[in-house]
Amino acid sequence: MEGPTPVSALIHAATMVTAGVFLIIRCSPLFEGTQTVLTFITFIGGATAFMAATAGLVQNDLKKVIAYSTCSQLGYMIFACGLSQYALSFFHLANHAFFKALLFLSAGAVIHSIAGEQDMRRFGSLATLLPYTYAMFLIGSLALTGFPFLTGFYSKDIILEIAAASFTLSGTFVYWLGLITAFFTSYYSFRLLYFAFYGESKSPRPYLLHVHEVENGMAWALCFLALGSIFLGYAAKDLFIGQGSPF
């Protein structure tokens, strides 16, 4: 994740890395022709979600935690495709774009305000210095973890429900992997929040003298993404996965 943070927010959260998922969704008639391949996709998706979440647990670079989180959420989208739930996979793809872009841009705001430092262990107590950025980070993190009635909840919860209700070996396997991954996601999200915004400040004094909130343009962008992270799941659930929806 060496690119500039606004690039990460657009390409790594919303477009480039999800292109493979979108390809599977568009080619769904081909994949429906063979159950063996669907089972393989399901196993690969579940393993990816779990593996990337375990990597995110131990990262100390702010953007790397969010990057591994993106990889983990792609696993959810892939195993939803493997269970033939293509509209549901696309629903999670659209939801994920909002809250992950919010997290990347908020991370960029933190990094920019504190002299380009990305090591979370050198942050701390930023909630008092960057209250707006902290609020945006909190909304994005809660949506990512699937906190009830935020955007991530509507797609992540039903992906796990569908996996549990499939009553197949692959479905049960990815259900338990997905459930464990959801706990891991909560852990590394709040680990990130704790290191960056709570506790004692571990930043060098010269850094703290220049800490500043985001400019108006970035503030409006964060606000727009935050609104999507709160309301999109509720507003679009009937469009994507509602009963009788033609999507």
Side-chain angles (χ1 to χ4, degrees):
M1 308 302 288
E2 298 301 324
T5 308
V7 175
S8 298
L10 178 64
I11 293 180
H12 295 127
T15 51
M16 186 180 74
V17 295
T18 52
V21 179
F22 189 69
L23 179 66
I24 294 175
I25 294 169
R26 294 289 290 176
C27 296
S28 55
L30 296 176
F31 287 100
E32 284 301 301
T34 166
Q35 186 58 46
T36 306
V37 173
L38 286 176
T39 303
F40 177 71
I41 289 173
T42 308
F43 278 109
I44 289 293
T48 300
F50 180 79
M51 178 278 299
T54 58
L57 290 174
V58 294
Q59 297 299 317
N60 292 313
D61 185 302
L62 186 64
K63 285 175 70 177
K64 281 187 178 179
V65 175
I66 305 173
Y68 276 112
S69 171
T70 300
C71 188
S72 180
Q73 297 306 304
L74 290 175
Y76 280 97
M77 299 174 208
I78 292 292
F79 81 66
C81 289
L83 296 171
S84 299
Q85 301 294 325
Y86 302 102
L88 179 53
S89 177
F90 192 87
F91 186 35
H92 194 53
L93 187 156
N95 290 350
H96 172 263
F98 275 88
F99 57 74
K100 195 52 64 69
L102 176 62
L103 283 171
F104 268 121
L105 277 187
S106 299
V110 172
I111 293 164
H112 183 66
S113 74
I114 203 154
E117 180 62 62
Q118 292 188 206
D119 192 332
M120 296 189 303
R121 295 169 295 184
R122 303 192 71 183
F123 293 163
S125 193
L126 290 177
T128 53
L129 297 172
L130 302 170
Y132 182 79
T133 304
Y134 165 63
M136 297 297 105
F137 226 117
L138 184 63
I139 291 169
S141 296
L142 289 174
L144 168 64
T145 58
F147 190 81
F149 310 116
L150 294 184
T151 287
F153 166 77
Y154 287 96
S155 49
K156 184 186 278 191
D157 185 65
I158 198 165
I159 286 175
L160 292 174
E161 284 185 32
I162 290 289
S166 64
F167 301 111
T168 61
L169 177 63
S170 58
T172 304
F173 175 75
V174 295
Y175 167 69
W176 284 107
L177 275 186
L179 199 62
I180 296 167
T181 300
F183 282 105
F184 285 174
T185 304
S186 298
Y187 175 79
Y188 65 64
S189 295
F190 288 102
R191 174 178 176 265
L192 187 156
L193 283 170
Y194 176 79
F195 273 132
F197 296 103
Y198 305 132
E200 295 182 3
S201 177
K202 303 173 188 66
S203 303
R205 183 174 173 79
Y207 288 10
L208 294 175
L209 292 174
H210 298 96
V211 169
H212 58 279
E213 275 287 13
V214 291
E215 297 171 359
N216 288 339
M218 182 70 87
W220 280 111
L222 289 172
C223 180
F224 172 75
L225 291 169
L227 290 173
S229 300
I230 296 170
F231 298 114
L232 180 77
Y234 176 77
K237 67 182 190 299
D238 287 329
L239 168 68
F240 286 114
I241 54 173
Q243 192 167 8
S245 169
F247 186 79

